[in-house]
């Protein structure tokens, strides 16, 4: 059986905890056993030791806020007998009710505020170095609550006198009021006021536990709608130093004191933990000296490692994984030649705006310029080709470097970021004085909207257009804007053209799809709305003779650098998130819609469609041998559709390219359905 130790409180008000052996208790029914890596210092720990607010049997082990690894298996806001608040949701709307949360800067208060807001409540809170023990606080809060529908009080700290003030405030509200408190309420309460003590474990076996920890918090944390607050402050390490952390807690505000209990970590473990804490689930790459330890630590933490035979393929896979998931894909390679082989993935990520985090090992930092194993100044080499490139100088800097590189790849125009990891950093062991921070999830990138004057100008141009066209690009697919774009096309009735990477946002079977009349659409369009599409070679740079010489291009793009390129007019461009801007544009378009039935432009598009599709069908039906690519693709299509009909949406995108006789440009016809995620996603 494993050994176990604890910091024991040996007697009533004994100041210094003693580290001694402790029993290794196997979990009972409906319980788990956790190997502790860190503990949060709770004000209750100090109160139990210094004030004896709760009877204990000595010697005793205090402390309940822990984090670690499950090794064996076996909230006062929402419960019916407490405040009974409405439940939190992702799309909450104000319900017109107000709750008072006393001690909003505390850990309990910070979480209570976020949950209450997510449940639709307005929050009035106290938060200061003294948590508002000034004489006027009761009157000030009552003034703030005047005329509001009162939902109750949550006392998150219950410092001396706090519960009395909370009860006083509740007694001045109309009707019955309830006060939830983290310490015992007064024995005598005013008429109309009720109060009850809440324990941290009060919800573990009722419906609120599932509501919060299974249904709401995991997704809210992943999407950045709920954050760990207040900021963590690591105050020490090891059981023998727990007492110093407890001594600091009295009077502490707006910080969560954390004491690390785990053994000193290696650089490889810190790297893997940082990736795990960022939410990384998969790493692609090839292992070798010195990065093999990183891969092993990552696997131990539950991260899947997908190995390749060449770094080029690993880089491509990681960048495409980033595009499909909308978060940076991670690629791990060795230094020197391994890094050089990964350059195509960097280029692919940069050119296509795919989020990618490349991690590469390197020779020991102190051997620079001495001809070390696979020595390469990778940061200087990759800085011009990435959004950011870092080399942490010490173990303390690892988490921040990876965290910053991940965010850089993720925010703004997605692209590649790089972290160089010297062997001495990977293999190093942190010292007892290390001040390594705690990495966490990077919230989803902020969504930028458009200026109303720009939207009005664009709407007027579209309304006046004789031959409008919407071009749907890869950026629209990446930002998951399919619903808003489908709504725009349905409302406006403007014909659309998907680029190869923009396919699937709207079904190819849509009657306004001009893919099979592409040349005609480009040649005749006068006002072109570009949704996340670049005027590069795929769109012939927006130039004649492919395009109408007088065409005006309206760009909506997340990348400011892309606005105004080639034939585009920067004065008509909108810098913003497509999924956010499109609904704004629809407001300005109001009930207007293009009338395709009475337009010569639409008639010519339909005629070109019929002609080109007939030509394509004739080629596909050619029975001659050897089979042409048209007839081969037709046979493949029929077979795939017999296995899984297109309406089921289970077949990956296929692309047909048919060259019409004597035509300098290809006629494109596509069959596309949503692309399923790979099994390791």
């Amino acid at each position: 059986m494993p050994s176990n130790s604890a910091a024991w409180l040996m007697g009533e008000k004994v100041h210094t905890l003693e580290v001694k052996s402790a029993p290794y208790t196997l979990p009972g029914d409906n319980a788990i056993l956790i190997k502790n890596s860190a503990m949060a210092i709770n004000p209750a720990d100090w109160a139990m030791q210094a004030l004896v607010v709760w009877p204990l049997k000595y010697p005793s082990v205090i402390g309940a806020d822990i984090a670690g690894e499950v090794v064996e298996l076996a909230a006062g806001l929402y419960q019916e007998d407490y405040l009974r608040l409405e439940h939190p949701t992702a799309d909450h709307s104000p319900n017109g009710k107000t709750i008072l949360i006393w001690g909003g800067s505390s850990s309990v208060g910070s979480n209570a505020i976020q949950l209450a807001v997510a449940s639709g409540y307005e929050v009035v809170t106290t938060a200061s170095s003294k948590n508002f023990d000034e004489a006027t606080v009761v009157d000030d809060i009552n003034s703030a609550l005047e005329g509001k529908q009162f939902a109750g009080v949550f006392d998150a700290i219950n410092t001396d006198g706090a519960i009395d003030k909370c009860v006083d405030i509740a007694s001045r509200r109309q009707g019955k009021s309830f006060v939830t408190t983290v310490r015992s309420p007064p024995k005598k309460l005013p008429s109309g006021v009720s109060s009850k003590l809440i324990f941290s474990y009060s919800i573990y076996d009722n419906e609120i536990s599932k509501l919060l920890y299974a249904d709401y918090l995991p997704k809210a944390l992943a999407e950045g709608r709920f954050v760990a607050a207040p900021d963590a402050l690591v105050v020490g390490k090891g059981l023998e130093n727990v007492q110093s952390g407890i001594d600091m807690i009295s009077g502490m505000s707006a910080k969560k004191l954390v004491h690390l209990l785990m053994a000193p970590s290696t650089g490889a473990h810190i790297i893997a933990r940082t990736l795990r804490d960022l939410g990384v689930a998969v790493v692609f790459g090839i292992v070798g000296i010195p990065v093999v330890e990183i891969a092993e630590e990552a696997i131990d933490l539950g991260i899947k490692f997908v190995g390749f035979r060449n770094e080029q393929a690993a880089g491509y896979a990681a960048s495409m994984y980033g595009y499909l998931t909308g978060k940076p894909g991670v690629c791990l390679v060795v230094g020197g030649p391994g890094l050089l082989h990964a350059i195509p993935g960097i280029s692919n990520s940069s050119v296509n705006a795919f989020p990618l985090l490349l991690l590469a090992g390197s020779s020991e930092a102190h051997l620079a310029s001495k001809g070390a194993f696979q020595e390469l100044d990778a940061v200087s080499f990759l800085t011009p080709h990435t959004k950011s490139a870092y080399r942490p100088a010490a173990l303390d800097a690892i988490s921040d470097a990876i965290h910053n590189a991940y965010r850089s790849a993720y925010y703004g125009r997605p692209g590649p970021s790089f972290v160089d990891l010297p062997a001495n950093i990977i293999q190093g062991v942190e010292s007892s004085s290390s001040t390594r921070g705690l990495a966490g999830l990077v919230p989803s990138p902020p969504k930028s909207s458009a200026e109303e004057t720009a939207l009005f100008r664009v709407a007027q141009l579209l309304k006046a257009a004789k031959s409008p066209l919407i071009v749907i690009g890869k950026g629209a697919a990446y930002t998951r804007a399919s619903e808003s774009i489908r709504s725009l096309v349905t409302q406006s009735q403007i014909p659309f053209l998907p680029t190869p990477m923009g396919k699937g946002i709207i079904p190819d079977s849509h009657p306004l799809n001009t893919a099979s009349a592409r040349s005609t659409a480009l040649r005749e369009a006068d006002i072109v709305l570009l949704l996340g599409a670049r005027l590069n070679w795929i769109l012939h740079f927006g130039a004649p003779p492919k395009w109408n010489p007088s065409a005006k291009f309206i760009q909506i793009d997340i990348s400011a650098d892309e606005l105004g390129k080639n034939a585009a007019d920067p004065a008509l461009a909108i810098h913003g998130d497509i999924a956010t801007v499109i609904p704004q544009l629809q407001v300005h378009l109001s009930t207007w819609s293009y009338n395709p039935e009475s337009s010569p432009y639409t008639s010519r598009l339909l005629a070109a469609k019929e002609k080109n599709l007939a030509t394509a069908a004739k080629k596909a039906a050619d029975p001659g041998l050897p089979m042409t690519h048209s007839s081969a693709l037709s046979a493949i299509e029929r077979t795939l559709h017999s296995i899984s009909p297109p309406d089921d949406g289970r077949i990956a995108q296929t692309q047909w390219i048919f060259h019409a006789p004597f035509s300098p440009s290809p006629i494109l016809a596509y069959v596309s359905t949503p692309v399923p995620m790979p099994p390791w996603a």
Side-chain angles (χ1 to χ4, degrees), residues 344-379:
I346 289 281
S347 178
N348 186 52
S349 167
S350 180
V351 171
N352 287 297
F354 294 165
L356 170 68
L357 173 59
L358 177 65
L359 306 177
S362 61
S363 55
E364 292 84 346
H366 65 277
L367 296 179
S369 78
K370 293 186 176 182
F373 176 65
Q374 296 183 341
E375 182 179 350
L376 174 68
D377 185 358
V379 172

Side-chain angles (χ1 to χ4, degrees), residues 557-642:
D557 204 290
I558 197 172
S559 174
D561 292 341
E562 200 63 39
L563 304 180
K565 276 191 177 180
N566 296 326
D569 183 352
L572 301 179
I574 292 179
H575 180 217
D577 176 75
I578 295 169
T580 303
V581 173
I582 292 300
Q584 290 183 283
L585 178 59
Q586 287 182 272
V587 172
H588 284 267
L589 291 174
S590 186
T591 59
W592 174 86
S593 65
Y594 179 67
N595 186 0
E597 295 182 358
S598 60
S599 168
Y601 164 63
T602 305
S603 299
R604 288 190 286 271
L605 286 176
L606 291 174
K609 275 187 184 182
E610 293 176 1
K611 176 184 175 182
N612 294 337
L613 290 176
T615 301
K618 182 178 179 181
K619 287 191 171 187
D622 183 358
L625 293 175
M627 296 178 72
T628 65
H629 72 277
S630 299
S631 58
L633 285 173
S634 178
I636 293 171
E637 178 198 19
R638 291 193 303 272
T639 303
L640 290 175
H641 289 178
S642 68

Side-chain angles (χ1 to χ4, degrees), residues 91-114:
D91 55 351
H92 62 274
S93 56
N95 60 20
K97 301 176 183 178
T98 303
I99 182 173
L100 168 63
I101 296 178
W102 193 281
S105 62
S106 67
S107 180
V108 174
S110 298
N111 286 278
I113 289 171
Q114 295 182 81

Side-chain angles (χ1 to χ4, degrees), residues 110-410:
S110 298
N111 286 278
I113 289 171
Q114 295 182 81
L115 289 172
V117 171
S119 300
Y121 291 83
E122 179 188 41
V123 174
V124 174
T125 188
T126 63
S128 77
S129 58
K130 295 183 179 181
N131 284 301
F132 284 101
D133 58 358
E134 293 87 351
T136 63
V137 65
V138 172
D139 291 335
D140 293 342
I141 292 176
N142 273 306
S143 296
L145 294 173
E146 195 65 35
K148 299 182 182 294
Q149 187 177 352
F150 190 58
V153 183
F154 188 92
D155 174 17
I157 54 171
N158 201 344
T159 54
D160 292 340
I163 184 62
D164 297 324
K165 293 182 176 66
C166 291
V167 169
D168 188 358
I169 293 168
S171 68
R172 302 192 196 186
R173 315 319 313 154
Q174 293 183 352
K176 296 182 179 180
S177 297
F178 193 92
V179 179
T180 295
T181 177
V182 294
R183 282 167 66 179
S184 298
K187 294 182 179 179
K188 293 185 179 180
L189 295 170
S191 176
V193 177
S194 53
S195 181
K196 192 173 181 181
L197 168 68
I198 181 74
F199 288 103
S200 58
Y201 49 80
S202 297
I203 64 173
Y204 87 96
D205 61 350
N206 61 25
E207 74 284 356
I208 303 303
S209 178
K210 179 180 182 299
L211 164 74
L212 292 180
Y213 296 112
D215 299 341
Y216 178 73
L217 283 175
K219 188 174 182 181
L221 284 166
E223 295 176 352
R225 291 184 284 106
F226 194 98
V227 298
D231 292 339
L233 176 64
V234 178
V235 295
K237 297 179 182 178
L239 280 171
E240 65 278 3
N241 297 314
V242 170
Q243 183 65 60
S244 61
I246 295 177
D247 293 343
M248 293 177 62
I249 195 66
S250 180
M252 181 65 65
S253 179
K255 288 291 182 184
K256 188 66 175 177
L257 302 190
V258 175
H259 193 91
L260 302 180
L261 303 176
M262 57 191 174
S265 294
T266 64
H269 182 74
I270 296 172
I271 294 164
R273 282 195 60 180
T274 302
L275 293 175
R276 192 273 311 275
D277 293 345
L278 283 167
V280 173
V282 182
V283 172
F284 304 85
I286 298 180
V287 297
I289 299 173
V291 301
V292 63
E293 297 165 24
I294 299 174
E296 290 173 344
E297 293 282 1
I299 292 170
D300 287 344
L301 291 175
I303 298 174
K304 297 178 182 178
F305 185 85
V306 181
F308 287 77
R309 293 174 181 262
N310 183 275
E311 290 86 359
Q312 178 179 350
Y316 284 148
S319 62
M320 181 53 71
Y321 181 83
Y323 172 70
L324 290 173
T325 62
K327 295 182 178 180
V330 179
C331 184
L332 177 67
V333 299
V334 299
L339 175 66
L340 294 175
H341 292 167
I343 295 301
I346 289 281
S347 178
N348 186 52
S349 167
S350 180
V351 171
N352 287 297
F354 294 165
L356 170 68
L357 173 59
L358 177 65
L359 306 177
S362 61
S363 55
E364 292 84 346
H366 65 277
L367 296 179
S369 78
K370 293 186 176 182
F373 176 65
Q374 296 183 341
E375 182 179 350
L376 174 68
D377 185 358
V379 172
S380 297
F381 181 66
L382 286 181
T383 293
H385 308 290
T386 58
K387 294 185 68 178
S388 61
Y390 303 104
R391 178 188 292 120
L395 271 71
D396 290 351
I398 291 175
S399 290
D400 284 343
I402 295 175
H403 198 272
N404 290 335
Y406 185 94
R407 187 179 63 252
S408 177
Y410 194 14

Side-chain angles (χ1 to χ4, degrees), residues 21-35:
S21 62
Y24 183 90
T25 307
L26 294 174
D29 293 340
N30 300 317
I32 59 176
L33 183 64
I34 299 175
K35 180 181 179 182

